Amino acid sequence: MEKILKNISTLILIFLLVSGVIILYQSPEAKSDTISLSELVTEINQDQVKTIAIQNNALEIELRDGKKQKASKESESSLSETLANYGVDKERLKNVLVTVKEDSGVGFWLAAILPFLIPFILIATFIWFMMRQAQRGNTQALSFGMSRARMLDPRNKKKRVTFVDVAGAKETKAELEEVVDFLKHPKKFLNMGAKIPKGILLLGPPGTGKTLMAKAVAGEAGVPFFNISGSEFVEMFVGVGASRVRDLFKQAKKNAPAIVFIDEIDAVGRHRGAGLGGGHDEREQTLNQILVEMDGFETDMSVIVIAATNRPDVLDPALLRPGRFDRRVTMDLPDINEREQILVIHTKNKPLEVDVKLRVLAERTPGFSGADLANLLNEGAILATRRNKKTIGMSELTESIEKVILGPERRGRVISKKEKEIIAYHEGGHALAAANLSNADPVQKVSIISRGHAGGYTLSVPLEDKSLHSRDYFLDELAILLGGYASEKLIFGDLTTGPSSDLERATHLARNMVTRYGMSRLGARTFGKKNELVFLGREMHEERDYSEKTAQDIDREVSHLIDSAFQRSTDILTEKRVILDTLARTLLEKETLEKDELDAIVGQTVAKKEIPV
């Protein structure tokens, strides 16, 4: 659209220039008065005329005072005869300089042809413009089936990424270093009879750096990097996706050794036969072409396909068989040491204050991905700029953690005194319950300032990263989740909608303890199997492998776990009622309590209470 407007503007400009030339050609610089021959004779007799220039029948007259005039003579006779007929004084006529101008060939032809030629020029220009647009459309149609992959040149040092630029992920790097060696020294492996891996599948949650790792492999090997998204293959026209796949692999083979990176491959690699359209679906044709191209690689062709997805469960089995994606590399969320290394990389170009401790930030961000940590530091930089600071302090970074988790503060939200008191006791109930349960994560901060959809929040951070959780930990977590609910019921004798999110999380956790983890009286087995169906939308379907009586037993067990947790929270808050009141009053006064202030009010964690079975 922008190019069309540009061409139309150029056409209008040409038209204006041609019109201007015509106007300048037809309009003299100084406008002359037109007089009759009798008036000319009178001026000659009065000795006012200085020169007369004759061009055909046109007379250009210049008076002695510099004034210019025009006149026309008779075409059948000469100027002297015409003036004599009008009674000119021959003696006065001798004082006038008379000259004859010959017609210019160019001027004659321009004057004769240009008025007729201009319309043809404009029509021809318009036809040329339309044909050019049609030709461009044909060119686009021919290139419609070409690959949209973006190639990253290994010689571009500014955009080159290596393993040094990727923090953590030691196991992933070790797995991919062999691929780098394959690309650098393929003959070494071919002489040994080893085949170059055709495909590598990077698995992991969003934001763990799968795309960055693929770029680092290409950067380490120094080979071209073709980057394309799975959704860029499929178009509304049949066969376009398969054509783009063929063109992509053709370009990669031409630039071999090379890496082809397909991001979000689940967009085209989903299980065939699970969607609309059957085997003639355009997405399935694209997938079939990818499978054929990967099978068609020659043994000595150094082209490796790297694909990334966070949904390996929906991929077609043909993609995952040996000979296609030979290796599957999992990229997990970073641990505390890797988070610290990631923070170091993302703070290289950011001015930090001396008191900023990246280790503390790493401890406070369990479960954060690399993208989350980059967003955290960016939010801290924005907050420091908003406060007109030259450096980023620890206060901005800790506040950014809460912003990433819960959303921005809503200090302007109007809350009544009664609601504020309810929120204070609600959050105080969470914090006090956590302080009296030995398996609970320590509370780092309690606030009654609204963030996102939450009226207040209690921020708990584990002392160390955990991949396994015990039954006692889950039971304590249930009691903490119901601490706000128990506090509202204990203090006010009534309930609000505030604990709705807590109740949802508690119910989900209790049901998983029963149906997934075998942490209930129903024994060591799982119940049900979840399947995701994707047709016109996303639908979760649970396949039941148990009877109706067992379903009732599951419901009773879930209710038992929640009721027991609620009773534990109520017992703690009843016993520590004075501390709860003090905690709520302090929150109403200060609005936010950090860990040191909270510990000073609730004291140290008490001995572990007996957990009911």
Side-chain angles (χ1 to χ4, degrees):
M1 187 64 184
E2 184 178 351
K3 291 183 177 179
I4 294 175
L5 293 175
K6 185 178 179 181
N7 291 331
I8 292 174
S9 302
T10 305
L11 189 62
I12 294 174
L13 182 60
I14 294 173
F15 175 76
L16 293 176
L17 289 174
V18 173
S19 301
V21 170
I22 296 172
I23 292 171
L24 288 175
Y25 175 77
Q26 292 181 347
S27 301
E29 294 182 1
K31 189 175 181 181
S32 303
D33 296 331
T34 303
I35 61 174
S36 62
L37 289 176
S38 58
E39 291 175 332
L40 175 59
V41 170
T42 302
E43 291 177 349
I44 293 174
N45 292 337
Q46 295 176 357
D47 200 19
Q48 296 179 3
V49 179
K50 181 180 179 182
T51 62
I52 297 175
I54 306 171
Q55 187 173 7
N56 295 330
N57 295 325
L59 304 177
E60 295 179 3
I61 305 160
E62 183 180 355
L63 302 181
R64 297 190 183 279
D65 58 1
K67 187 178 179 180
K68 293 184 178 181
Q69 295 176 335
K70 280 184 176 182
S72 298
K73 73 178 185 64
E74 298 173 354
S75 57
E76 293 83 2
S77 58
S78 63
L79 177 61
S80 57
E81 292 178 358
T82 302
L83 294 178
N85 293 334
Y86 281 89
V88 70
D89 187 347
K90 294 183 179 181
E91 295 297 329
R92 298 288 186 182
L93 183 59
K94 292 179 180 179
N95 296 331
V96 178
L97 178 62
V98 179
T99 59
V100 178
K101 289 185 177 181
E102 296 292 337
D103 285 338
S104 171
V106 176
F108 174 78
W109 286 108
L110 283 177
I113 297 175
L114 203 57
F116 302 98
L117 191 61
I118 288 176
F120 289 101
I121 293 175
L122 293 177
I123 293 172
T125 305
F126 179 74
I127 293 174
W128 170 81
F129 170 75
M130 297 300 294
M131 292 181 64
R132 184 182 176 190
Q133 291 299 115
Q135 185 178 6
R136 181 176 298 174
N138 292 334
T139 305
Q140 290 177 351
L142 292 174
S143 64
F144 198 66
M146 297 180 67
S147 169
R148 304 288 179 88
R150 296 160 293 279
M151 189 184 82
L152 183 63
D153 194 338
R155 294 170 294 182
N156 190 340
K157 302 297 182 181
K158 292 183 179 180
K159 295 184 179 180
R160 186 176 179 180
V161 179
T162 61
F163 284 154
V164 178
D165 302 309
V166 184
K170 291 183 180 179
E171 294 80 5
T172 304
K173 291 179 183 177
E175 188 76 14
L176 295 175
E177 277 176 358
E178 292 184 4
V179 177
V180 175
D181 208 10
F182 267 125
L183 292 170
K184 283 185 175 180
H185 312 289
K187 290 185 178 179
K188 181 174 66 174
F189 293 92
L190 293 174
N191 293 336
M192 211 43 134
K195 294 182 179 179
I196 296 174
K198 295 181 179 179
I200 298 169
L201 190 62
L202 297 179
L203 312 174
T208 50
K210 299 184 288 294
T211 303
L212 187 65
M213 185 63 75
K215 286 184 179 180
V217 174
E220 287 286 336
V223 298
F225 180 78
F226 293 88
N227 179 23
I228 192 170
S229 172
S231 61
E232 293 183 63
F233 288 116
V234 182
E235 292 280 356
M236 62 182 288
F237 301 107
V238 177
V240 173
S243 175
R244 288 179 177 175
V245 170
R246 289 191 293 269
D247 186 66
L248 171 63
F249 282 95
K250 181 181 178 181
Q251 292 182 40
K253 291 175 184 178
K254 188 183 298 182
N255 292 276
I259 287 179
V260 174
F261 177 65
I262 305 175
D263 199 6
E264 304 295 345
I265 193 173
D266 52 278
V268 292
R270 284 180 177 268
H271 200 296
R272 286 173 290 183
L276 296 176
H280 299 288
D281 182 24
E282 169 65 6
R283 179 186 58 79
E284 294 189 5
Q285 291 191 29
T286 305
L287 173 59
N288 292 339
Q289 189 63 44
I290 293 176
L291 299 178
V292 171
E293 289 292 340
M294 292 188 72
D295 272 342
F297 278 8
E298 292 82 358
T299 306
D300 58 346
M301 184 65 69
S302 300
V303 176
I304 295 180
V305 182
I306 301 179
T309 181
N310 52 13
R311 295 297 317 277
D313 53 309
V314 301
L315 294 180
D316 193 89
L319 266 178
L320 305 177
R321 75 158 176 81
R324 289 192 176 126
F325 284 98
D326 301 293
R327 297 193 178 188
R328 278 169 253 180
V329 181
T330 302
M331 297 191 66
D332 293 320
L333 292 171
D335 59 24
I336 184 170
N337 294 323
E338 291 172 338
R339 290 197 298 273
E340 186 178 7
Q341 295 170 15
I342 293 171
L343 289 170
V344 169
I345 288 181
H346 288 298
T347 53
K348 282 183 178 179
N349 300 323
K350 293 180 173 61
L352 301 179
E353 292 182 1
V354 181
D355 65 335
V356 172
K357 297 179 181 179
L358 298 181
R359 184 69 181 185
V360 175
L361 293 176
E363 292 172 353
R364 287 199 173 194
T365 52
F368 273 43
S369 65
D372 291 330
L373 294 172
N375 186 32
L376 158 67
L377 293 171
N378 186 58
E379 291 290 347
I382 293 173
L383 188 58
T385 305
R386 193 182 303 161
R387 293 174 178 175
N388 296 320
K389 295 179 64 176
K390 300 295 184 182
T391 55
I392 306 171
M394 197 67 180
S395 59
E396 286 81 22
L397 294 175
T398 52
E399 187 173 340
S400 297
I401 295 176
E402 299 160 19
K403 184 176 182 181
V404 171
I405 296 175
L406 299 169
E409 281 189 353
R410 298 169 61 191
R411 289 184 177 271
R413 181 182 177 187
V414 179
I415 302 176
S416 66
K417 185 177 180 181
K418 182 65 176 178
E419 284 189 358
K420 199 170 184 181
E421 185 181 5
I422 293 174
I423 294 172
Y425 273 101
H426 181 100
E427 300 302 332
H430 286 308
L432 189 57
N436 286 272
L437 296 170
S438 60
N439 295 296
D441 296 328
V443 178
Q444 299 290 336
K445 188 175 184 179
V446 183
S447 176
I448 60 172
I449 299 173
S450 176
R451 274 189 180 274
H453 296 289
Y457 58 94
T458 301
L459 185 62
S460 299
V461 178
L463 295 174
E464 56 186 12
D465 291 336
K466 297 178 182 179
S467 56
L468 298 176
H469 296 89
S470 65
R471 179 176 182 270
D472 290 347
Y473 173 82
F474 283 142
L475 291 175
D476 285 0
E477 190 69 18
L478 282 175
I480 295 170
L481 287 171
L482 294 170
Y485 180 86
S487 179
E488 289 188 23
K489 192 170 184 179
L490 176 66
I491 302 300
F492 302 101
D494 195 8
L495 296 172
T496 66
T497 57
S500 60
S501 176
D502 298 331
L503 296 177
E504 184 179 351
R505 292 170 58 195
T507 304
H508 181 69
L509 176 57
R511 183 164 289 277
N512 280 339
M513 289 177 67
V514 176
T515 60
R516 296 281 173 266
Y517 309 141
M519 296 179 179
S520 70
R521 294 177 295 186
L522 296 183
R525 62 161 291 188
T526 61
F527 300 92
K529 182 180 179 182
K530 288 186 177 180
N531 296 320
E532 182 177 353
L533 303 178
V534 181
F535 288 100
L536 298 179
R538 186 171 183 265
E539 179 185 354
M540 295 300 297
H541 171 72
E542 184 177 14
E543 179 185 344
R544 280 194 174 189
D545 55 1
Y546 51 86
S547 65
E548 286 297 327
K549 182 181 180 303
T550 304
Q552 294 176 3
D553 293 338
I554 291 173
D555 290 339
R556 278 195 295 269
E557 195 64 21
V558 170
S559 298
H560 171 71
L561 289 173
I562 293 176
D563 292 342
S564 299
F566 171 72
Q567 190 59 48
R568 291 181 68 200
S569 295
T570 304
D571 293 343
I572 292 172
L573 299 180
T574 303
E575 181 183 349
K576 307 287 184 178
R577 172 63 185 271
V578 177
I579 298 178
L580 178 61
D581 293 336
T582 305
L583 185 56
R585 285 196 303 270
T586 310
L587 281 172
L588 288 170
E589 179 185 348
K590 294 186 175 181
E591 293 187 332
T592 300
L593 293 176
E594 295 290 344
K595 187 177 187 304
D596 296 338
E597 299 171 298
L598 182 64
D599 290 341
I601 296 175
V602 302
Q604 298 297 321
T605 302
V606 298
K608 178 180 178 180
K609 290 184 176 293
E610 183 180 352
I611 299 175
V613 179

